[in-house]
Amino acid sequence: MNLPAGGDRARYDRATAHLDAPLAIVDLAAFDANADDLVRRAGGKPIRVASKSVRCRALLERVLARPGFAGIMSYTLAESIWLARSGFEDVLLAYPSADRAGFAELAGDPKLAAAVTVMVDDPAQLELIDRSRDSGTHEVRVCLELDTALHLFGGRVRVGARRSPLRDPAGLADLARAVCARPGFRVVGIMGYEGHVAGVGDALAGRPLRSRVIRLMQATARKELAARRAEAVRAVRAVVPDLEFVNGGGTGSVQQTATEDAVTEIAAGSGLYVPRLFDNYTSFRGRPAALFAQPVVRRPGVGVVTVLGGGYPASGAAGADRLPEPYLPQGLRYDPQEGAGEVQTPLLGSPADDLLIGDRVWFRHAKAGELCERFDALHLVEGDRVTATVPTYRGEGRTFL
């Protein structure tokens, strides 16, 4: 678990003393250290940066300038096109799209078509793209997605995200043949995201039995997937010998996925910011890099302060683990009757008695990039100074989802 440091709170307060809260920061020393750790864990395989976990062009540029990182994994076609027009030359769209205008723009521009790869797991998606081309004739680069879920007890139990319908190697190879037989498309890659390994912590505080069950499940899943992914890659390479890449992994499974010979690159993004959902892993320890501050606006009584806003829940199944974490000063907690509020958030605990009106409470978001949907800018902190302020996607007027 990442334990907060009182020195960091004082440093962040000094760095942002000239700014009004609410505000969001990225600690560049922590960001860079996390980037170095991802590269170390990848063992020489390039890391493709998941843009949904960063959502800031300046920080995407910063990390891609570092050795060990190559390419972006985007989350919508509109974002992919925007990034490509901004100068990013290798953008893999990680999800299928129904953006007809976007496909027409892609197929009509040779530079976009060369820079962006789209995700396909169904022949119907190829049909939609073809109907959307308008007069665009440029070849569309295609990546095929493999379902990575673990099936147990003859398929009666499924563990993993419901993504691609393509589970077996033969099905993936059949789709590769369908793409090759269709003019205007080219298969260039395979992707498989093992979210049940990469995105699920295996060291849950106070829950040792559940943690052991998760570790057992993940060990079983890694072994099963490694064999099936290798077979799938062989099957597709028999159809497409010049396959450019095989993408796998995620922040929580970088070092395990990197050991698979079939995988040529790793996807990761959340590990740069290290939100609170990544505290519960035995495989790595990151440094919280992205935080937001809310101002104290009320002192309702002993052991209670109220901060402005802060109700920024993360996506996923609703629960306490989706709420931001009051991080600094250490020891504050939500009022169970109110939780994290849209306009006001009461916080309980003895540290509240040392907080004055106008003081700040620093929070960590449950997820990474979703924080940027709440703020127009990120203040970049080096030491005890803000050395730059950069726009988020939102700050550039871009809200893709």
Side-chain angles (χ1 to χ4, degrees):
M1 190 153 187
N2 297 296
L3 297 177
D8 283 342
R9 178 193 171 200
R11 185 163 59 86
Y12 298 150
D13 282 347
R14 286 195 302 273
T16 61
H18 61 295
L19 301 169
D20 286 331
L23 58 86
I25 67 167
V26 169
D27 184 330
L28 289 181
F31 181 90
D32 290 344
N34 293 333
D36 288 341
D37 188 60
L38 286 169
V39 170
R40 177 189 61 80
R41 291 197 287 137
K45 292 189 176 177
I47 297 171
R48 184 180 291 273
V49 184
S51 62
K52 78 178 183 66
S53 299
V54 180
R55 302 193 202 196
C56 171
R57 280 200 300 165
L59 290 175
L60 288 172
E61 291 168 353
R62 182 184 183 91
V63 71
L64 285 169
R66 302 176 70 86
F69 291 87
I72 288 177
M73 178 176 281
S74 58
Y75 61 98
T76 74
L77 182 55
E79 180 213 14
S80 305
I81 290 171
W82 178 64
L83 290 173
R85 291 203 182 282
S86 300
F88 296 96
E89 298 179 348
D90 180 5
V91 183
L92 168 63
L93 174 57
Y95 307 88
S97 176
D99 181 352
R100 291 172 296 177
F103 284 125
E105 186 176 358
L106 182 71
D109 188 314
K111 290 185 178 179
L112 289 181
V116 176
T117 301
V118 304
M119 192 63 61
V120 169
D121 58 33
D122 189 315
Q125 295 157 351
L126 300 173
E127 182 64 32
L128 185 148
I129 295 171
D130 259 344
R131 293 198 308 268
S132 304
R133 283 179 181 270
D134 195 13
S135 58
T137 58
H138 295 288
E139 187 175 65
V140 175
R141 293 165 54 85
V142 168
C143 179
L144 311 179
E145 181 167 0
L146 173 70
D147 172 42
T148 66
L150 175 65
H151 288 191
L152 301 170
F153 306 109
R156 293 189 296 275
V157 175
R158 174 194 176 95
V159 182
R162 297 183 182 276
R163 292 178 61 113
S164 171
L166 300 172
R167 174 168 182 78
D168 63 279
L172 204 67
D174 285 344
L175 183 57
R177 279 187 282 272
V179 175
C180 293
R182 196 172 191 121
F185 294 90
R186 179 161 62 97
V187 176
V188 298
I190 298 172
M191 188 193 88
Y193 172 58
E194 53 268 37
H196 50 302
V197 179
V200 177
D202 63 348
L204 307 181
R207 306 185 71 180
L209 180 58
R210 181 170 177 78
S211 297
R212 285 196 293 272
V213 170
I214 290 173
R215 286 195 288 273
L216 177 62
M217 175 277 291
Q218 291 179 339
T220 303
R222 286 195 298 268
K223 183 177 179 180
E224 184 276 336
L225 177 58
R228 183 160 53 89
R229 180 153 43 199
E231 186 180 349
V233 172
R234 285 194 295 270
V236 172
R237 285 196 185 278
V239 180
V240 187
D242 58 346
L243 201 66
E244 294 178 15
F245 64 87
V246 177
N247 182 282
T251 288
S253 68
V254 170
Q255 63 273 33
Q256 291 96 352
T257 306
T259 64
E260 295 183 35
D261 291 338
V263 173
T264 66
E265 63 176 41
I266 310 297
S270 295
L272 296 167
Y273 287 172
V274 187
R276 64 171 296 203
L277 285 179
F278 284 87
D279 283 352
N280 303 315
Y281 285 77
T282 57
S283 60
F284 78 101
R285 292 287 185 273
R287 290 174 56 183
L291 300 94
F292 66 93
Q294 304 295 107
V296 173
V297 293
R298 286 177 170 164
R299 290 170 50 87
V302 176
V304 186
V305 291
T306 302
V307 298
L308 181 69
Y312 308 154
S315 59
D321 65 339
R322 301 290 146 167
L323 296 178
E325 173 192 36
Y327 180 58
L328 297 172
Q330 186 179 7
L332 294 172
R333 65 186 186 280
Y334 292 117
D335 181 335
Q337 300 302 314
E338 296 196 47
E342 177 187 8
V343 177
Q344 72 161 34
T345 298
L347 297 171
L348 312 179
S350 58
D353 294 329
D354 297 323
L355 291 171
L356 304 177
I357 300 296
D359 284 351
R360 286 154 190 195
V361 175
W362 293 90
F363 291 77
R364 294 170 66 203
H365 204 279
K367 285 193 171 181
E370 291 183 24
L371 168 66
C372 295
E373 299 298 337
R374 298 286 183 168
F375 292 92
D376 291 341
L378 297 173
H379 302 287
L380 307 184
V381 173
E382 296 185 72
D384 60 359
R385 295 188 306 120
V386 169
T387 56
T389 297
V390 295
T392 60
Y393 279 12
R394 170 177 163 166
E396 296 199 66
R398 306 287 176 165
T399 51
F400 297 107
L401 279 179

